[in-house]
Amino acid sequence: MAAHLRRPGEVARQRKEAAAKRAVALAAKKQQVAAKKAAVEARRKKREAIAAAIAEKQQKREEKAAAIAEKKRLQAAKAAAIAEKKRKQEEKAAAIAEKRRKQEEKAAAIAAKKKKQEEKAAAIEAKKEKQAEKAAAIEAKKKRDAARAGGVTK
């Protein structure tokens, strides 16, 4: 439009309208940016919440695994204690058996000694009997010789 055709105040009004349009556009743009920021923040918070939930789950899993490991360790310790007790009992039983075996050997040695002494005593007795028989035979011979010499015959 040519300047002479314009009504008075038209330019100022147009400027005001343009300024108002720009203000509305700027406000819309600001709102859009704020909405975008809010969406980004919401997504970040959601990601953080998910990460926290995953971390918590992982921690619970680790705690459970630690509890299981502790239980297994206790069971292993208990089993080791039982095995140690069993080993000690077996050692004790072996020591008792060894003691019994030694006592039996001692008893057998004593019995063998006694038998040897009895055999020795029997041999001495047999020797005495033999000597006595020999002495009796010598005595009988003397008597026979004396009787022969004396002229007495049987």
Side-chain angles (χ1 to χ4, degrees):
M1 279 190 183
H4 66 281
L5 293 175
R6 288 197 188 118
R7 281 184 266 144
E10 181 74 18
V11 173
R13 189 185 55 78
Q14 282 179 348
R15 277 194 196 127
K16 278 184 185 172
E17 281 179 6
K21 274 186 187 175
R22 278 197 309 274
V24 168
L26 188 64
K29 182 82 174 169
K30 277 186 182 176
Q31 194 178 355
Q32 202 177 6
V33 168
K36 215 173 192 181
K37 276 186 182 177
V40 167
E41 184 67 20
R43 282 199 301 270
R44 187 186 62 78
K45 280 186 180 174
K46 193 175 180 183
R47 270 197 309 271
E48 284 176 1
I50 289 170
I54 289 169
E56 194 177 326
K57 217 173 188 179
Q58 181 67 24
Q59 188 183 355
K60 280 185 181 173
R61 208 175 288 131
E62 286 170 1
E63 285 173 2
K64 196 174 182 183
I68 291 169
E70 179 66 15
K71 196 174 181 185
K72 280 185 180 175
R73 189 190 64 76
L74 288 172
Q75 283 177 339
K78 196 174 180 183
I82 290 169
E84 180 66 17
K85 197 174 181 184
K86 202 173 191 182
R87 187 188 62 76
K88 280 186 180 175
Q89 283 177 339
E90 286 171 358
E91 279 181 5
K92 201 174 181 182
I96 290 169
E98 180 66 18
K99 199 173 181 183
R100 193 172 285 143
R101 188 188 60 78
K102 280 185 179 176
Q103 284 177 339
E104 287 171 359
E105 282 179 5
K106 201 174 181 183
I110 291 168
K113 199 174 181 185
K114 206 174 192 182
K115 190 178 177 188
K116 209 172 186 182
Q117 284 176 341
E118 285 172 1
E119 285 174 0
K120 202 175 181 183
I124 290 168
E125 190 65 35
K127 201 174 180 185
K128 279 183 182 175
E129 283 178 18
K130 210 175 185 182
Q131 282 177 344
E133 283 175 12
K134 207 175 183 183
I138 290 168
E139 193 63 38
K141 192 178 180 190
K142 278 183 185 174
K143 280 184 184 175
R144 268 199 317 271
D145 286 348
R148 273 194 206 139
V152 182
T153 55
K154 276 187 177 177

